[in-house]
Amino acid sequence: MSNRVARGLVMVPAVLLGGVFTATGLFWYQEGSMGSRGLAVGLGLLLLVAGLLVGLLAPRPDA
């Protein structure tokens, strides 16, 4: 398995899950859910940043 495939296998689910958690946290309107909303947004942003860092900062082989 090449590094490119491995990066994709880590990056894509992390970015997708980060987007889902962030959207859930932003649009979750239920009484008494402020702590859960903050946690969902925090986890979502953490996953988004981690997924994007994996895709952008991984070393690329010289051509």
Side-chain angles (χ1 to χ4, degrees):
M1 182 181 330
S2 70
N3 286 339
R4 183 176 173 189
V5 173
R7 275 196 318 257
L9 287 175
V10 172
M11 184 185 73
V12 171
V15 171
L16 289 175
L17 282 173
V20 169
F21 272 104
T22 305
T24 299
L26 291 175
F27 299 110
W28 190 354
Y29 295 109
Q30 194 174 28
E31 189 172 330
S33 67
M34 284 306 293
S36 299
R37 288 180 72 186
L39 179 64
V41 170
L43 283 173
L45 292 175
L46 180 70
L47 281 167
L48 279 171
V49 168
L52 292 175
L53 282 176
V54 165
L56 296 176
L57 296 181
R60 301 186 197 274
D62 294 334

